[in-house]
Amino acid sequence: MAKKAKPSVDKIVKKVNKEFDKTSSQIEKLINDALKQFDSLQNQIQEPVRKLLKEVDELRDREMKRFNEEFERRLNEFHELQNSILDRLGIASKEAKKEIEKTADSASAKVSAAKSKAAKSKATKPKTAAKPAAKKPAAKKAPAKTVAKPKPQTTAKKAPAKKAAKPVNKNDLTRVKGIGPATAKKMQEAGINSIEQIATPSDADKEKLQAFSKIKGFATLSDEAKKVL
């Protein structure tokens, strides 16, 4: 009985090994397939990226080349312009020297002429200056003094006019700084009819004025009203 049991155990082990080999081979196949798919996906992703990078490099090279060509062209134009300006300046400097010499000669001639004229005028001035000296003591200054005398009378007349302007219309609320025509109308409707009610308000007037606490400068209305009075 023991001899017959051994082959059955060996068969079972062989079967298990076969099944294990099958499953391991299947697992390896699945792993290989997965790796192949991953490689293909990676290639699919890398190819457009590489293409894009290549296009970017080509575009950068083209733009750099174009920029260098444009820079060289502008630099050559600048050098040509600089040379032409220097040539013109060389010619212009010669002409400027000639013009400066001409103007210097004409200026010196004018200065000498002016000096001679000044010398002649100095020689002739004493003869002409003697005549107005005799005309100065004329009687024209006396009437000027007499005209200045009535001035105090005009100032004396103006003084009472200023005194007459002092009376203040106490009912005109717009004379108080910060109160406009519209606000004055509303105050009159509320019962504030005189500046005195704002300057020295009673308790009732204070309650009426509180309705206008939002207007600009309300805190100083009483002081401004006192200034008007």
Side-chain angles (χ1 to χ4, degrees):
M1 294 294 290
K3 289 180 180 178
K4 289 181 180 179
K6 286 182 179 177
S8 62
V9 172
D10 292 335
K11 287 179 181 179
I12 292 167
V13 171
K14 286 179 181 179
K15 285 181 180 180
V16 169
N17 289 330
K18 284 181 181 179
E19 291 294 330
F20 181 75
D21 291 336
K22 284 181 182 179
T23 53
S24 63
S25 63
Q26 288 176 356
I27 290 167
E28 286 178 0
K29 189 178 180 181
L30 290 171
I31 290 168
N32 290 327
D33 291 339
L35 290 172
K36 286 179 182 178
Q37 289 178 359
F38 180 75
D39 290 336
S40 64
L41 287 171
Q42 191 174 6
N43 291 327
Q44 288 175 3
I45 293 168
Q46 285 179 352
E47 282 179 5
V49 171
R50 287 174 184 172
K51 190 181 287 185
L52 180 63
L53 291 172
K54 187 178 180 181
E55 290 177 356
V56 169
D57 291 335
E58 290 176 356
L59 179 63
R60 183 184 61 189
D61 294 335
R62 285 199 302 270
E63 290 297 322
M64 287 298 294
K65 187 178 180 181
R66 187 179 65 81
F67 175 76
N68 290 328
E69 290 175 355
E70 184 69 18
F71 179 74
E72 289 177 359
R73 186 178 67 80
R74 295 289 178 88
L75 190 62
N76 292 327
E77 289 178 357
F78 175 74
H79 285 308
E80 290 176 0
L81 181 63
Q82 186 179 11
N83 293 328
S84 64
I85 289 169
L86 290 172
D87 293 336
R88 289 179 183 177
L89 285 173
I91 297 166
S93 62
K94 292 177 182 179
E95 293 177 354
K97 285 180 181 178
K98 291 179 181 178
E99 289 180 358
I100 288 166
E101 289 175 357
K102 287 180 182 179
T103 51
D105 294 335
S106 62
S108 61
K110 288 178 181 179
V111 168
S112 60
K115 285 181 179 179
S116 62
K117 285 181 181 179
K120 289 179 181 178
S121 63
K122 284 179 181 179
T124 55
K125 271 181 182 179
K127 293 178 181 179
T128 55
K131 290 180 181 179
K135 291 180 180 179
K136 282 182 180 178
K140 289 182 179 179
K141 289 184 179 179
K145 290 180 180 179
T146 54
V147 172
K149 286 180 181 180
K151 287 183 179 178
Q153 294 177 359
T154 56
T155 54
K157 289 179 181 178
K158 288 180 181 178
K162 289 180 181 178
K163 290 179 181 179
K166 283 185 178 179
V168 177
N169 185 5
K170 295 181 180 179
N171 295 325
D172 187 4
L173 302 181
T174 58
R175 294 179 67 85
V176 180
K177 187 178 179 180
I179 299 176
T183 306
K185 187 177 179 180
K186 290 179 181 179
M187 283 184 174
Q188 288 173 353
E189 291 174 355
I192 306 297
N193 297 313
S194 68
I195 298 171
E196 290 178 349
Q197 289 178 274
I198 301 170
T200 55
S202 62
D203 295 335
D205 293 335
K206 286 179 182 178
E207 291 180 1
K208 293 174 183 177
L209 289 169
Q210 283 299 319
F212 304 94
S213 60
K214 292 182 180 180
I215 66 171
K216 188 177 179 181
F218 175 78
T220 59
L221 280 182
S222 179
D223 296 332
E224 294 296 333
K226 288 176 182 178
K227 289 178 183 179
V228 174
L229 295 174

